[in-house]
Amino acid sequence: MLGVPRITPRFARVLLTIAVGITACVPSQPSDSKPDAAPKTTKKAESKPRTAPTHSAGRRSTPPNEQPPDPLLTAPFEDRFDRTDIGSDWRSLGNSWSIKNGKLCVRQARNQGIWLRRRLPINARIEFEAVSESPDGDIKAEYWGDGLSGATSVSYTNATSYLTIFGGWKNSFHVLARIDEHAPNRLEVRTNLTSPQEREKPVTPGRSYTFRVERTDGKTISWWVDGHLIHRLEDPEPLVGRGHDHFGFNNWEVPICFDNLMITPL
């Protein structure tokens, strides 16, 4: 029977040294990982940069290239044209307009009018004087238009306003039109030199006429010349609001002068 060998302290130290060396040679690796697996990384959350707001919350900013609206008329406005230049109160669409002898005069504008840089309220009274120096008459003005537009073709069929044409078409008609001065449903009266009714008489060259156009109920346009009612139009779809809030004078080709404009909010 063999005896159990005696382990001396020196021999025990040798065995311990061998065991530690073997353990150090074994790589440390989780039992469920693969030798070729790439190391796992934690992706850092990406944060979007914060930008300052471009305008205050709830406030409408003006789009690029859009001009601020013209001032709204809340009190009577008057222009007697007693100056040498048209001035900044008016927006002219062409070079045909000028001040002559204290009047706003025009010729050959071809429906490129001049707009007052003020917004009309829905209800207002517009009064002015006008003289045609031609036997063709043709005194024209626009009411509740966009303040920017003129004719884009020979025929003015795409206005933004109501139009009064006193002695139009070579002094043959007095016309109140909506948008299209050639529309078949325009209000017109044929002129007659011998008519006893003042509203039917043609324009007399060199005579000063007093015009009055007003809207008091938001839908009905009434037009008088020298106190005589020419037309009254009740519009089921009235021109109101943005794009229909300016007054302007217009002209085709005859020499016309305007004076003593008065606009009264109603």
Side-chain angles (χ1 to χ4, degrees), residues 137-263:
D138 206 20
I139 301 172
K140 182 184 295 188
E142 299 192 52
Y143 315 81
W144 287 281
D146 68 358
L148 299 168
S149 302
T152 56
S153 62
V154 175
S155 296
Y156 199 17
T157 59
N158 59 342
T160 59
S161 62
Y162 301 103
L163 302 101
T164 59
I165 308 167
F166 192 54
W169 291 268
K170 296 190 180 297
N171 220 351
S172 298
F173 296 97
H174 302 323
V175 169
L176 172 56
R178 179 189 186 278
I179 303 295
D180 180 359
E181 64 181 31
H182 298 275
N185 63 343
R186 70 186 188 183
L187 300 184
E188 65 177 42
V189 56
R190 181 176 287 276
T191 61
N192 182 351
L193 184 60
T194 62
S195 174
Q197 297 189 43
E198 287 294 325
R199 69 186 293 263
E200 295 180 357
K201 291 183 177 180
V203 174
T204 300
R207 175 180 169 179
S208 178
Y209 292 91
T210 300
F211 287 68
R212 184 170 105 239
V213 172
E214 66 181 34
R215 180 166 61 185
T216 61
D217 62 355
K219 63 180 181 180
T220 304
I221 305 296
S222 300
W223 171 31
W224 294 265
V225 176
D226 287 347
H228 303 285
L229 181 65
I230 307 299
H231 291 299
R232 177 169 285 138
L233 170 65
E234 184 174 338
D235 190 352
E237 298 181 3
L239 303 179
V240 297
R242 188 76 177 267
H244 302 295
D245 52 3
H246 282 74
F247 166 76
F249 296 113
N250 209 332
N251 169 264
W252 177 238
E253 61 182 11
V254 303
I256 304 285
C257 287
F258 301 94
D259 201 6
N260 296 326
L261 172 67
M262 171 69 77
I263 301 178

Side-chain angles (χ1 to χ4, degrees), residues 90-104:
W90 294 89
R91 181 182 293 112
S92 174
L93 303 185
N95 298 322
S96 301
W97 300 87
S98 63
I99 300 292
K100 294 181 180 179
N101 301 319
K103 300 179 187 297
L104 176 64

Side-chain angles (χ1 to χ4, degrees), residues 55-106:
H55 55 82
S56 301
R59 179 180 177 184
R60 181 182 180 273
S61 60
T62 302
N65 302 323
E66 181 178 332
Q67 297 298 320
D70 293 325
L72 175 66
L73 284 177
T74 58
F77 174 90
E78 184 176 13
D79 195 340
R80 295 187 178 276
F81 303 105
D82 292 330
R83 53 187 182 273
T84 57
D85 296 323
I86 292 176
S88 59
D89 284 336
W90 294 89
R91 181 182 293 112
S92 174
L93 303 185
N95 298 322
S96 301
W97 300 87
S98 63
I99 300 292
K100 294 181 180 179
N101 301 319
K103 300 179 187 297
L104 176 64
C105 297
V106 63

